[in-house]
Amino acid sequence: MKLLGCAIATGLAISYDVLHNPRLNMTLIAQISDLHVQVADDRAYGVVDTNALVANAITHINDLNPQPDLVIATGDLVHQGTEAEYEQLKIILSQLNAPIYLLPGNHDCRESLKQVFSHHTYLPHHLGHLSYTLEDYPIRMILLDTTIPGKGSGLVDAGRLAWLEAQLNADTTKSTILFMHHPPFPTGITMMDNIGLEGRTELENLIRHHPQIVRVSCGHLHRSIHCQWAGTTASTQSSLVHQVVLDLQPDAAGTFVMEPAAYQLHLWHQDILVSHTVYVGEFTGPFPFSDPKKRRNAPVI
């Protein structure tokens, strides 16, 4: 792997086991977001066949080599928050090869999610919000529920901030990704910023005191956006279904476009987090980086 070559070139000591087993101390995370799954035959906003698009993405993830160690879904799992939609989501997600961890977004209903996914025992039942921490990987992952029931905007209130602080203080040395639905920064897309995150100043103050956080990775925006924030990198990702139109005019109307579905593939290895945007669809290629005509006419040496 190139990361290993880079490490050797800079004089870092790498064990024999790491050289010959590149998956050792490596974590590959597929992050999917904003699925908006519906009951069968419904279309989001009368246009988008979200179920088919999500099923296509699941097939795409299953075809990855190497396979991700886990999949994290950062909210808007379904469109209306009904149990019937979560039942449909459960059917679609059952095709995944990798284990999946769920986080709600503003389109979700915590109670319906817990009811249908009761076999997902990592979901807490005592907090009042569906936040939890994944400890059993080379990188630590904290999933923070930012939803407000019945509202499009998000919130990190005093209770959730205290919970997050306790999680961060529990291990200040292990590198950590914080996953949320609502991003903690303004994006310039007025419609989405109007349903952004409340309490982000307090959150920023907390994050600045925890340099072990290597990324704050979010959904909600239906676009891939990156921002230097609170001493780390914060980002949003594209949706598996439709994308928000990139319009930075202050009075822009909120609209969506059928740009390609995409997800993030986060590679944690040798204390470096590298994130790739992976597009889902049928595209021509791959092609070699050379002209076949020139190859045919090249002299034989």
Side-chain angles (χ1 to χ4, degrees):
M1 292 181 64
K2 292 183 178 179
L3 286 174
L4 288 174
C6 177
I8 293 170
T10 56
L12 295 177
I14 300 176
S15 71
Y16 177 91
D17 287 340
V18 171
L19 282 172
H20 293 272
N21 181 5
R23 294 308 297 267
L24 192 66
N25 295 321
M26 179 178 110
T27 305
L28 193 60
I29 307 160
Q31 181 187 356
I32 61 177
S33 199
D34 299 274
L35 290 65
H36 292 268
V37 165
Q38 302 190 99
V39 295
D41 301 322
D42 273 8
R43 290 175 178 260
Y45 311 109
V47 175
V48 190
D49 188 352
T50 57
N51 295 6
L53 289 165
V54 174
N56 288 343
I58 297 306
T59 300
H60 196 278
I61 293 170
N62 285 342
D63 288 341
L64 291 173
N65 184 17
Q67 276 284 283
D69 295 288
L70 70 161
V71 177
I72 289 181
T74 46
D76 284 0
L77 309 173
V78 301
H79 198 54
Q80 302 290 348
T82 67
E83 287 192 16
E85 288 178 329
Y86 287 112
E87 292 289 356
Q88 187 66 40
L89 176 69
K90 183 163 67 172
I91 293 170
I92 296 172
L93 294 182
S94 69
Q95 301 303 306
L96 262 176
N97 293 334
I100 185 164
Y101 296 89
L102 306 176
L103 185 69
N106 53 283
H107 279 259
D108 290 301
C109 171
R110 292 171 184 157
E111 294 309 313
S112 297
L113 173 59
K114 287 191 295 182
Q115 179 68 29
V116 175
F117 286 87
S118 58
H119 58 295
H120 284 228
T121 55
Y122 59 84
L123 290 172
H125 290 267
H126 60 283
L127 288 176
H129 53 90
L130 298 185
S131 305
Y132 55 95
T133 302
L134 301 178
E135 306 274 10
D136 298 330
Y137 295 92
I139 189 168
R140 197 166 184 246
M141 289 163 274
I142 299 176
L143 287 81
L144 178 65
D145 176 2
T146 58
T147 61
I148 309 170
K151 294 189 67 175
S153 55
L155 173 66
V156 179
D157 55 16
R160 278 176 273 197
L161 195 69
W163 178 88
L164 176 60
E165 184 174 19
Q167 297 301 303
L168 292 171
N169 287 337
D171 192 339
T172 59
T173 60
K174 190 173 182 179
S175 297
T176 301
I177 305 175
L178 174 61
F179 290 99
M180 308 190 301
H181 181 67
H182 297 84
F185 57 89
T187 66
I189 302 175
T190 302
M191 176 197 71
M192 300 306 293
D193 288 343
N194 286 341
I195 52 171
L197 185 68
E198 301 171 34
R200 62 190 182 203
T201 299
E202 294 80 2
L203 178 62
E204 180 179 0
N205 291 336
L206 174 61
I207 299 304
R208 285 193 181 278
H209 287 88
H210 287 276
Q212 77 267 30
I213 299 176
V214 296
R215 179 73 55 80
V216 179
S217 193
C218 310
H220 191 51
L221 260 292
H222 290 237
R223 296 208 68 84
S224 179
I225 306 170
H226 295 79
C227 176
Q228 288 300 115
W229 178 82
T232 187
T233 300
S235 61
T236 67
Q237 71 160 69
S238 301
S239 166
L240 285 191
V241 289
H242 51 278
Q243 313 307 328
V244 168
V245 168
L246 177 57
D247 190 337
L248 300 179
Q249 298 180 83
D251 57 350
T255 53
F256 67 89
V257 64
M258 297 309 296
E259 292 176 351
Y263 58 92
Q264 290 285 305
L265 201 58
H266 304 293
L267 172 64
W268 173 253
H269 190 257
Q270 296 294 308
D271 294 329
I272 296 174
L273 183 67
V274 179
S275 299
H276 300 267
T277 298
V278 185
Y279 296 99
V280 180
E282 296 295 328
F283 310 106
T284 56
F287 302 105
F289 284 104
S290 60
D291 188 331
K293 293 180 180 179
K294 292 181 180 179
R295 290 202 307 270
R296 284 199 301 268
N297 297 328
V300 177
I301 299 175

